[in-house]
Amino acid sequence: MAKIGIVVFPGSNCDRDVHHVLNNVIGVQADFLWHTKDRISSYDAMIIPGGFAFGDRLRAGIIAAHSPIIQEVKRMAKDGMPVLGICNGFQILVESGLLPGALMMNDSLRFVCRWTKVEVKNNKTPFTSQFAPKQTFAIPVAHGEGRYMADSKIIKDLKKKNQIVLQYSNDDPNGSTNLIAAICNEEGNVMGMMPHPERASESILAAEGAGNDAITIFRSLVSNLKQKAIA
Ligand SMILES: NC(=O)CC[C@H](N)C(=O)O
């Protein structure tokens, strides 16, 4: 039976939503793991949820990236374990060096909190395998530092290696380069995304007509873990 770890920092505020979707909506075991843990075993995937880890002091994600648990997440990621960073989690993955580029202040210089739409550009990752190619779906964003930036060489590499996973569709909430909403590492087992799938996994939470297709992020991950277990 798959088991997923949810990393929690002082300031995380989406950990319980992720825990609810995994345990109660999808029915897979997910446990909270406090940031001081420096040794993790018996988990099949890790999720770093959204929030304001350490109050976003210095810049979002930088302090958390140096925590004991993220050193362990780096080890697990290098061993091929699926690791998903959502919003603040994406910022932490970039600051830890597991993903390239940087998340900067939104171009509006304001905190953006609203529904948007994204298009699946890569459905070959453990987090997007259940989406159809080029599928679009509604999902909310809520961040102040969500503008994905990288130099032209990194952007060129991301495109060449199919590491751009989600792009904002007919919307630009934060000024991200190439409307990037999510990227993965070269191996495809680490993904960072600014939008919040845990806030759009149940129809009761969906904005008018938005649907809950975002749950497919979690369903893809669980399906990948089940396939690995029987392989
Ligand atoms: N919802 C979140 O995780 C917010 C991430 C980060 N604190 C920001 O404002 O950009």
Side-chain angles (χ1 to χ4, degrees):
M1 181 64 179
K3 199 162 79 163
I4 299 173
I6 302 171
V7 178
V8 184
F9 295 97
S12 296
N13 66 11
C14 304
D15 44 313
R16 280 162 292 176
D17 297 347
V18 173
H19 187 272
H20 163 70
V21 172
L22 291 172
N23 282 286
N24 305 330
V25 182
I26 293 188
V28 66
Q29 183 181 341
D31 302 328
F32 297 119
L33 298 172
W34 192 233
H35 67 101
T36 53
K37 275 184 86 66
D38 60 4
R39 196 84 195 112
I40 299 170
S41 59
S42 78
Y43 284 91
D44 306 293
M46 298 294 283
I47 295 182
I48 312 172
F52 296 77
F54 298 102
D56 283 0
R57 290 287 180 271
L58 301 180
R59 60 180 185 266
I62 182 65
I63 297 174
H66 292 83
S67 63
I69 200 166
I70 294 300
Q71 307 329 300
E72 188 65 354
V73 167
K74 288 166 79 169
R75 178 189 65 77
M76 298 155 95
K78 288 189 171 59
D79 287 346
M81 176 180 285
V83 176
L84 172 63
I86 302 170
C87 202
N88 201 214
F90 186 5
Q91 294 160 340
I92 293 166
L93 287 175
V94 163
E95 292 291 351
S96 73
L98 279 174
L99 291 174
L103 276 308
M104 311 285 284
M105 180 63 77
N106 298 335
D107 58 351
S108 62
L109 302 183
R110 293 176 182 279
F111 190 91
V112 172
C113 181
R114 61 178 170 81
W115 281 77
T116 186
K117 190 169 266 191
V118 293
E119 179 181 342
V120 178
K121 307 303 285 185
N122 175 352
N123 71 338
K124 305 292 181 216
T125 78
F127 316 99
T128 52
S129 58
Q130 306 279 303
F131 286 106
K134 300 190 184 305
Q135 181 177 341
T136 59
F137 61 97
I139 190 167
V141 289
H143 53 253
E145 300 172 53
R147 184 180 190 187
Y148 183 79
M149 304 285 280
D151 65 28
S152 53
K153 182 184 177 314
I154 290 177
I155 297 296
K156 192 173 166 204
D157 270 357
L158 289 175
K159 287 179 183 172
K160 190 172 133 202
K161 296 169 185 171
N162 206 15
Q163 290 176 248
I164 298 175
V165 182
L166 300 174
Q167 269 182 322
Y168 297 110
S169 172
N170 299 324
D171 188 14
D172 180 2
N174 50 37
S176 290
T177 309
N178 286 67
L179 299 172
I180 288 172
I183 63 167
C184 64
N185 63 344
E186 282 190 48
E187 296 74 14
N189 66 300
V190 179
M191 183 170 92
M193 62 187 292
M194 284 313 293
H196 287 261
E198 77 284 3
R199 300 185 184 185
S201 290
E202 296 173 279
S203 49
I204 193 171
L205 290 180
E208 191 61 38
N212 65 324
D213 287 341
I215 195 172
T216 312
I217 296 279
F218 298 115
R219 290 200 193 289
S220 298
L221 173 58
V222 174
S223 165
N224 172 270
L225 297 179
K226 284 180 179 167
Q227 283 165 24
K228 282 168 88 171
I230 56 179

